[in-house]
């Protein structure tokens, strides 16, 4: 039996913050604004996993009003989400993600992101796809005000 899930997330890009995407610190003069490390790619993936089993969303499980999640490495949240998925008797079939960000160029970091995500989820790296696109200088991503991330996952009953 298969279940499918979708996740979406957005973070503002501001000066004075590190840019963490897919668990990788990407050198840039701006970073994501957020209560955690603002790793929107990992947040979208968490929401897709939770959504696949109708377990709510990341805000329900890790409220941003809780100080214990301040500045937290989002890969820790992802690990926790995977324990919930496995507790329900499911395993990852595959995950496909897309990051929409104008700058910086993401291509050099994609392999490291796939590796970091796969390690956190304790799955093979070839199950994890990370893609990136600009928005051709249109919209908030194109104006470099923020970035967005999309994720789709498939889970299988074990
Ligand atoms: Mg987020």
């Amino acid at each position: 039996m298969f279940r499918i899930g979708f996740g979406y997330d957005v973070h503002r890009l501001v000066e004075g913050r590190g840019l963490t995407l897919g668990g990788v610190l990407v050198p840039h003069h701006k970073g994501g604004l957020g209560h955690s490390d603002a790793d929107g790619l990992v947040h979208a993936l968490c929401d897709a996993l939770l959504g696949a089993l109708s377990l709510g969303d990341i805000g329900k499980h890790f409220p941003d009003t809780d100080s214990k999640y301040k500045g937290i490495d989002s890969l820790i949240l992802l690990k926790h989400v995977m324990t919930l998925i496995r507790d329900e008797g499911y395993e990852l079939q595959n995950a496909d993600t897309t990051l929409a960000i104008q700058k910086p160029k993401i291509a050099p970091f994609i392999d490291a992101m796939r590796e970091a995500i796969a390690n956190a989820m304790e799955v093979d790296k070839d199950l994890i796809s990370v893609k990136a696109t600009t928005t051709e200088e249109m919209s908030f991503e194109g104006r470099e005000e923020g970035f967005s991330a999309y994720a789709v996952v498939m889970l299988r009953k074990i």
Side-chain angles (χ1 to χ4, degrees):
M1 184 181 171
F2 290 92
R3 302 278 297 217
I4 194 164
F6 171 73
Y8 172 69
D9 195 27
V10 169
H11 282 270
R12 263 178 214 277
L13 282 170
V14 296
E15 301 282 348
R17 291 266 304 185
L19 180 59
T20 303
L21 293 169
V24 174
L25 189 61
V26 176
H28 194 48
H29 66 98
K30 286 179 174 179
L33 182 64
H35 186 69
S36 66
D37 63 2
D39 190 336
L41 185 64
V42 169
H43 294 175
L45 187 52
C46 287
D47 263 1
L49 291 162
L50 293 168
L53 296 182
S54 307
L55 294 173
D57 59 31
I58 196 170
K60 175 184 161 185
H61 291 271
F62 314 107
D64 64 8
T65 49
D66 191 331
S67 60
K68 77 177 166 202
Y69 301 122
K70 190 166 165 51
I72 198 170
D73 177 348
S74 293
L75 292 178
I76 293 170
L77 308 183
L78 179 59
K79 273 182 206 238
H80 181 73
V81 167
M82 279 309 287
T83 66
L84 299 176
I85 298 304
R86 289 182 175 124
D87 284 350
E88 296 283 325
Y90 283 82
E91 188 49 73
L92 183 75
Q93 182 72 15
N94 71 305
D96 186 20
T97 66
T98 298
L99 197 52
I101 189 166
Q102 191 64 39
K103 281 181 188 165
K105 278 272 169 250
I106 298 302
F109 305 99
I110 280 183
D111 204 56
M113 291 176 188
R114 293 178 61 212
E115 184 119 30
I117 291 167
N119 283 344
M121 296 176 78
E122 297 179 42
V123 299
D124 283 349
K125 185 177 159 191
D126 61 296
L127 301 187
I128 308 298
S129 162
V130 175
K131 313 183 302 300
T133 183
T134 71
T135 57
E136 298 282 344
E137 296 172 354
M138 296 180 288
S139 186
F140 66 87
E141 299 98 329
R143 292 189 297 270
E144 300 174 49
E145 296 165 1
F147 66 89
S148 57
Y150 304 80
V152 174
V153 302
M154 184 161 278
L155 304 180
R156 69 172 185 280
K157 187 104 178 157
I158 48 171

